[in-house]
Amino acid sequence: MRNMALGGGLLLLLAESRSEGKSMFAGVPTVGVTSPRQYMQLGGRVLLILMFMTLLHFNASAFTIFQDIFGLTLIILVTIGFKTKLAALTLVLWLMVINVVQNAFWTVPSYRPLHDFLKYDFFQTLSVMGGLLLVVALGPGGVSMDEHKKKW
């Protein structure tokens, strides 16, 4: 799941680097046309969210229940594209805290196998945070509730 989430970040980057087709009417926006770039952004958002499925813990402690509900709410908001920039930024901040607390590889001696696992997990989570920052910077794309709200 985490590797697929990393692929989602790369898909978002690819969608941003892909140039829009040139129009005969320069500067005139087209209405109602969806491009492959918008579907790439949707796919990138969905793949980024897969990483959070690995963070869900089904324990009975109060903090774990709060963490699961809070994370799941933000995941759903980013996936459907509702208040996407705010939800993605909140997820970045949340992930930063969770990453430092749960993947503190610097506290484990380097000769233990757990050190390598935590280090890998730490940097992979940083990569997903980078993908979420792309969502914050670029927006959700054309296939989202935020874009659909503009038509109302």
Side-chain angles (χ1 to χ4, degrees):
M1 292 253 191
R2 288 182 178 259
N3 289 333
M4 290 175 67
L6 189 57
L10 292 174
L11 193 60
L12 285 170
L13 189 60
L14 180 65
E16 175 55 25
S17 68
R18 188 180 178 121
S19 63
E20 291 291 325
K22 297 192 184 214
S23 172
M24 186 169 74
F25 305 107
V28 178
T30 57
V31 179
V33 177
T34 56
S35 68
R37 177 182 176 180
Q38 294 172 347
Y39 290 110
M40 289 171 66
Q41 287 176 320
L42 173 65
R45 282 196 333 260
V46 170
L47 286 174
L48 271 178
I49 296 313
L50 291 177
M51 190 208 89
F52 291 95
M53 296 304 151
T54 64
L55 295 178
L56 294 177
H57 306 287
F58 299 105
N59 295 340
S61 71
F63 180 73
T64 316
I65 292 171
F66 169 74
Q67 179 181 348
D68 288 347
I69 291 172
F70 183 71
L72 198 57
T73 303
L74 292 173
I75 291 166
I76 291 169
L77 288 176
V78 171
T79 303
I80 64 173
F82 183 72
K83 302 283 185 189
T84 311
K85 289 185 176 189
L86 179 63
L89 184 62
T90 307
L91 275 174
V92 167
L93 296 174
W94 182 255
L95 262 182
M96 190 181 309
V97 171
I98 295 296
N99 199 23
V100 168
V101 170
Q102 289 182 352
N103 297 322
F105 66 91
W106 51 89
T107 62
V108 178
S110 61
Y111 59 86
R112 295 189 55 208
L114 181 63
H115 175 83
D116 293 333
F117 174 75
L118 291 176
K119 190 174 183 180
Y120 172 78
D121 210 30
F122 181 85
F123 286 109
Q124 193 169 25
T125 304
L126 279 182
S127 299
V128 172
M129 288 168 55
L132 285 169
L133 286 174
L134 275 172
V135 171
V136 171
L138 306 174
V143 184
S144 66
M145 287 189 68
D146 287 344
E147 191 66 30
H148 188 67
K149 284 190 322 188
K150 293 178 184 177
K151 295 176 186 176
W152 297 347

